[in-house]
Coordinates of all heavy atoms in Angstrom, one line a residue:
S93 N 25.6 22.2 2.8 CA 26.8 21.7 2.3 C 27.4 20.5 3.0 O 28.2 19.7 2.5 CB 27.9 22.8 2.2 OG 28.3 23.0 3.6
G94 N 27.0 20.3 4.3 CA 27.6 19.3 5.2 C 28.8 19.9 6.0 O 29.2 19.1 6.9
R95 N 29.1 21.1 5.8 CA 30.3 21.7 6.6 C 29.8 21.9 8.0 O 30.5 21.9 9.0 CB 30.7 23.0 6.0 CG 32.0 23.5 6.6 CD 32.5 24.8 5.8 NE 31.7 25.9 5.9 CZ 31.6 26.8 7.0 NH1 32.4 26.6 8.0 NH2 30.7 27.8 7.0
I96 N 28.5 22.3 8.2 CA 27.8 22.5 9.5 C 26.8 21.4 9.7 O 26.0 21.2 8.8 CB 27.2 23.9 9.5 CG1 28.2 25.0 9.0 CG2 26.6 24.2 10.8 CD1 29.2 25.5 10.0
A97 N 26.7 20.9 10.9 CA 25.6 20.0 11.3 C 24.8 20.4 12.4 O 25.2 21.3 13.2 CB 26.3 18.6 11.6
I98 N 23.6 19.9 12.5 CA 22.7 20.2 13.7 C 23.4 19.7 14.9 O 24.1 18.7 15.0 CB 21.4 19.5 13.5 CG1 20.6 20.2 12.3 CG2 20.6 19.5 14.9 CD1 19.3 19.5 12.1
G99 N 23.4 20.6 15.9 CA 24.1 20.3 17.2 C 25.5 20.9 17.3 O 26.0 21.0 18.4
D100 N 26.1 21.3 16.1 CA 27.3 22.0 16.2 C 27.2 23.3 17.0 O 26.3 24.0 16.9 CB 27.9 22.4 14.7 CG 28.4 21.2 14.0 OD1 28.7 20.2 14.6 OD2 28.7 21.4 12.8
R101 N 28.4 23.5 17.7 CA 28.5 24.9 18.3 C 29.2 25.7 17.3 O 30.2 25.3 16.8 CB 29.2 24.8 19.7 CG 28.4 23.9 20.7 CD 29.1 23.7 22.0 NE 29.5 25.1 22.6 CZ 30.8 25.4 22.7 NH1 31.8 24.6 22.5 NH2 31.0 26.6 23.2
V102 N 28.7 26.9 17.1 CA 29.2 27.8 16.0 C 29.5 29.2 16.5 O 28.7 29.7 17.4 CB 28.4 27.8 14.7 CG1 28.4 26.5 14.0 CG2 27.0 28.3 15.0
A103 N 30.5 29.9 16.0 CA 30.7 31.3 16.1 C 30.2 31.9 14.9 O 30.4 31.4 13.8 CB 32.1 31.6 16.4
L104 N 29.7 33.1 15.0 CA 29.0 33.8 13.8 C 29.9 34.9 13.3 O 30.6 35.7 14.0 CB 27.6 34.4 14.2 CG 26.7 33.4 14.9 CD1 25.5 34.0 15.4 CD2 26.4 32.3 13.9
L105 N 29.9 34.9 11.9 CA 30.8 35.9 11.2 C 29.9 37.0 10.7 O 28.8 36.8 10.1 CB 31.5 35.3 10.1 CG 32.5 34.1 10.5 CD1 33.0 33.4 9.3 CD2 33.6 34.5 11.4
W106 N 30.4 38.3 10.7 CA 29.5 39.4 10.2 C 30.0 39.9 8.8 O 29.4 40.9 8.4 CB 29.5 40.5 11.2 CG 30.8 41.0 11.8 CD1 31.3 40.7 13.0 CD2 31.7 42.0 11.2 NE1 32.5 41.5 13.2 CE2 32.7 42.2 12.1 CE3 31.7 42.6 10.0 CZ2 33.8 43.0 11.8 CZ3 32.8 43.5 9.7 CH2 33.8 43.7 10.6
R107 N 30.8 39.2 8.1 CA 31.1 39.5 6.8 C 30.7 38.3 5.9 O 31.1 37.1 6.3 CB 32.6 39.8 6.5 CG 33.1 41.0 7.1 CD 32.4 42.3 6.5 NE 32.7 42.5 5.1 CZ 32.2 43.7 4.6 NH1 31.5 44.5 5.2 NH2 32.5 43.8 3.2
P108 N 30.0 38.5 4.8 CA 29.5 37.4 4.0 C 30.8 36.8 3.3 O 31.8 37.4 3.1 CB 28.5 37.9 3.1 CG 28.8 39.4 3.0 CD 29.5 39.7 4.3
R109 N 30.6 35.6 2.7 CA 31.6 35.0 1.9 C 30.9 34.2 0.8 O 30.5 33.1 1.1 CB 32.6 34.1 2.7 CG 33.7 33.6 1.9 CD 34.5 32.6 2.6 NE 35.8 32.4 2.0 CZ 36.1 31.8 0.9 NH1 35.1 31.3 0.2 NH2 37.3 31.7 0.4
C110 N 30.7 34.9 -0.4 CA 30.0 34.1 -1.4 C 30.8 33.1 -2.2 O 30.3 32.1 -2.6 CB 29.4 35.2 -2.4 SG 30.6 35.9 -3.5
G111 N 32.2 33.3 -2.1 CA 33.0 32.4 -2.8 C 33.2 32.5 -4.2 O 34.0 31.9 -4.9
V112 N 32.4 33.4 -4.9 CA 32.5 33.5 -6.3 C 32.8 35.0 -6.9 O 33.0 35.2 -8.0 CB 31.2 33.0 -7.1 CG1 31.1 31.5 -6.8 CG2 30.0 33.7 -6.6
C113 N 32.6 36.0 -6.0 CA 32.9 37.4 -6.5 C 34.4 37.5 -6.6 O 35.3 36.7 -6.1 CB 32.3 38.4 -5.6 SG 33.2 38.6 -4.0
D114 N 34.8 38.7 -7.2 CA 36.3 38.9 -7.4 C 37.0 38.9 -6.0 O 38.2 38.4 -6.0 CB 36.5 40.3 -8.1 CG 36.2 40.2 -9.6 OD1 35.9 39.1 -10.1 OD2 36.4 41.2 -10.3
A115 N 36.5 39.5 -5.0 CA 37.1 39.7 -3.8 C 37.3 38.3 -3.1 O 38.4 38.0 -2.7 CB 36.3 40.6 -2.8
C116 N 36.3 37.4 -3.2 CA 36.4 36.1 -2.6 C 37.5 35.3 -3.4 O 38.3 34.6 -2.8 CB 35.1 35.4 -2.6 SG 34.0 36.0 -1.3
I117 N 37.4 35.4 -4.7 CA 38.3 34.6 -5.5 C 39.8 35.0 -5.4 O 40.7 34.2 -5.4 CB 37.9 34.6 -7.0 CG1 36.6 33.8 -7.2 CG2 39.0 34.0 -7.9 CD1 36.0 34.0 -8.6
S118 N 39.9 36.3 -5.2 CA 41.3 36.9 -5.2 C 41.9 36.8 -3.7 O 42.9 37.3 -3.5 CB 41.4 38.3 -5.7 OG 40.6 39.1 -4.9
G119 N 41.2 36.1 -2.9 CA 41.8 35.9 -1.5 C 41.6 37.0 -0.6 O 42.3 37.2 0.4
N120 N 40.6 37.9 -0.8 CA 40.3 39.0 0.1 C 38.8 38.9 0.4 O 38.1 39.9 0.3 CB 40.6 40.3 -0.7 CG 41.0 41.4 0.3 OD1 40.9 41.2 1.5 ND2 41.5 42.5 -0.3
P121 N 38.4 37.8 1.1 CA 36.9 37.6 1.3 C 36.3 38.6 2.3 O 35.1 38.8 2.2 CB 36.9 36.2 1.9 CG 38.3 35.9 2.4 CD 39.2 36.6 1.6
V122 N 37.2 39.3 3.0 CA 36.5 40.3 3.9 C 35.8 41.4 3.1 O 34.9 42.0 3.5 CB 37.6 40.9 4.8 CG1 37.3 42.3 5.3 CG2 38.0 40.0 6.0
L123 N 36.3 41.5 1.8 CA 35.7 42.5 1.0 C 34.6 41.9 0.0 O 34.3 42.6 -1.0 CB 36.8 43.3 0.2 CG 37.8 44.0 1.0 CD1 38.8 44.7 0.1 CD2 37.0 45.1 1.9
C124 N 34.1 40.8 0.3 CA 33.1 40.1 -0.5 C 32.0 41.1 -0.9 O 31.5 41.8 -0.1 CB 32.5 38.9 0.3 SG 31.1 38.2 -0.6
E125 N 31.7 41.1 -2.2 CA 30.8 42.0 -2.8 C 29.4 41.8 -2.2 O 28.6 42.8 -2.2 CB 30.7 41.9 -4.3 CG 31.9 42.4 -5.0 CD 32.1 42.0 -6.4 OE1 31.1 41.5 -7.0 OE2 33.2 42.1 -7.0
R126 N 29.1 40.7 -1.6 CA 27.8 40.5 -0.9 C 27.6 41.4 0.3 O 26.6 41.6 0.8 CB 27.6 39.0 -0.6 CG 27.3 38.1 -1.7 CD 25.9 38.2 -2.1 NE 25.8 38.4 -3.5 CZ 24.6 38.8 -4.2 NH1 23.5 39.0 -3.4 NH2 24.6 39.0 -5.4
G127 N 28.8 41.8 0.8 CA 28.8 42.7 2.0 C 28.0 44.0 1.7 O 27.3 44.5 2.6

Side-chain angles (χ1 to χ4, degrees):
S93 74
R95 191 176 65 82
I96 307 279
I98 289 176
D100 278 351
R101 296 178 53 243
V102 292
L104 304 176
L105 304 174
W106 49 259
R107 290 301 291 185
R109 188 189 195 288
C110 75
V112 294
C113 74
D114 282 0
C116 283
I117 290 174
S118 64
N120 210 350
V122 160
L123 298 179
C124 174
E125 290 168 11
R126 288 278 130 196

